Amino acid sequence: MTTLSPQDVKTLEQTRQRLSQLTNSLGSLQQQILASDPLPPWSSLHSLSQIISQNLASVSAHLATHAPLLSSLAVYPLPNYPGREQEALLQQLLRKKLEPGVEDWVERGRAAGEDVATLNDGRGSEYVTGLWEWAGVAANEQARRHEWGGDFTAEEREGGVENVITGLKRTFEDEEESEEDEEGDDKMPDVKASEKNLPEEVDGKPLPMDDVLRFLVKGEEPKR
């Protein structure tokens, strides 16, 4: 390719803009983490993670769409370019190989992807999807079986909390006894629940793992 058309130049400019947006969002996240002690609020991290995810998706889609053009381009300096004054930038632009650190984690990512693709006689994606679907149901069944509430399960309370091996030196009191003591010291007035403030009944079906992850990452409510 000798001469770039106006459309090709526009594509390169769009690539630069998308990469610049991604770099700025990553820099903003890094700056907030370094400036906050201990960590920024979860709402701020969630907002920045959404922005970074959107920028990554935009860059990935743009590179995939214009892959033939971008893979055929060759970068070279013009004769009037100040090569001595901008030697570091020039070397970075003309570099064809990835940096050693980047090349290392790219190879690890490719190896991990190949391992997943070869699982279960080549049905890697189907295997992972089935694994996630099973994990959500199994986790919910296990949680219901133990009836978690407080520091101990129902099974541990029935056997006596003093027999639970926790590795801690302090002794534990039964939750029911401690609650009775607190009720004797400070009694709360009786509050009658009305039909308006009763929780809505939900079916016993577990949420799909995709809905759980979508809620954790994007905050979207599961669709029923």
Side-chain angles (χ1 to χ4, degrees), residues 148 151-153 155-157 159-172:
W148 288 95
D151 298 327
F152 304 97
T153 64
E155 183 180 357
E156 291 173 341
R157 288 198 298 270
V161 296
E162 65 277 359
N163 299 324
V164 179
I165 301 177
T166 62
L168 303 177
K169 295 183 179 180
R170 67 184 182 89
T171 58
F172 289 93

Side-chain angles (χ1 to χ4, degrees), residues 43-93:
S43 57
S44 177
L45 293 177
H46 180 262
S47 176
L48 285 174
S49 66
Q50 279 189 313
I51 295 175
I52 293 174
S53 178
Q54 293 173 358
N55 289 338
L56 281 172
S58 176
V59 170
S60 179
H62 180 78
L63 294 179
T65 302
H66 303 283
L69 170 65
L70 298 176
S71 60
S72 62
L73 294 178
V75 180
Y76 60 91
L78 296 175
N80 57 352
Y81 184 83
R84 295 186 180 276
E85 291 79 2
Q86 303 292 337
E87 183 178 359
L89 178 59
L90 181 61
Q91 291 180 355
Q92 185 176 2
L93 292 175

Side-chain angles (χ1 to χ4, degrees), residues 47-216:
S47 176
L48 285 174
S49 66
Q50 279 189 313
I51 295 175
I52 293 174
S53 178
Q54 293 173 358
N55 289 338
L56 281 172
S58 176
V59 170
S60 179
H62 180 78
L63 294 179
T65 302
H66 303 283
L69 170 65
L70 298 176
S71 60
S72 62
L73 294 178
V75 180
Y76 60 91
L78 296 175
N80 57 352
Y81 184 83
R84 295 186 180 276
E85 291 79 2
Q86 303 292 337
E87 183 178 359
L89 178 59
L90 181 61
Q91 291 180 355
Q92 185 176 2
L93 292 175
L94 296 179
R95 183 183 181 91
K96 297 181 179 180
K97 294 182 62 177
L98 297 174
E99 295 182 359
V102 178
E103 189 174 7
D104 182 41
W105 63 256
V106 168
E107 290 298 329
R108 292 203 305 267
R110 289 175 178 172
E114 292 175 357
D115 292 340
V116 172
T118 56
L119 287 175
N120 198 17
D121 297 332
R123 299 191 300 271
S125 59
E126 297 178 3
Y127 174 79
V128 173
T129 302
L131 177 62
W132 277 112
E133 292 177 353
W134 167 86
V137 177
N140 283 320
E141 291 178 353
Q142 189 71 12
R144 292 192 185 96
R145 183 182 305 172
H146 286 282
E147 298 180 3
W148 288 95
D151 298 327
F152 304 97
T153 64
E155 183 180 357
E156 291 173 341
R157 288 198 298 270
E158 292 176 358
V161 296
E162 65 277 359
N163 299 324
V164 179
I165 301 177
T166 62
L168 303 177
K169 295 183 179 180
R170 67 184 182 89
T171 58
F172 289 93
E173 297 180 357
D174 196 345
E175 295 177 357
E176 296 180 357
E177 296 179 357
S178 61
E179 290 177 358
E180 291 177 357
D181 296 339
E182 292 178 358
E183 290 177 358
D185 297 336
D186 186 10
K187 293 184 178 181
M188 297 295 292
D190 295 337
V191 179
K192 295 182 179 180
S194 62
E195 295 181 356
K196 295 182 179 180
N197 56 21
L198 287 176
E200 297 180 359
E201 294 183 1
V202 296
D203 52 12
K205 297 181 180 179
L207 290 174
M209 185 57 63
D210 290 339
D211 291 346
V212 176
L213 295 176
R214 189 179 296 107
F215 175 77
L216 293 175

Side-chain angles (χ1 to χ4, degrees), residues 26-41:
L26 290 173
S28 178
L29 176 61
Q30 182 181 20
Q31 184 178 2
Q32 284 202 15
I33 293 177
L34 294 177
S36 301
D37 189 15
L39 284 175

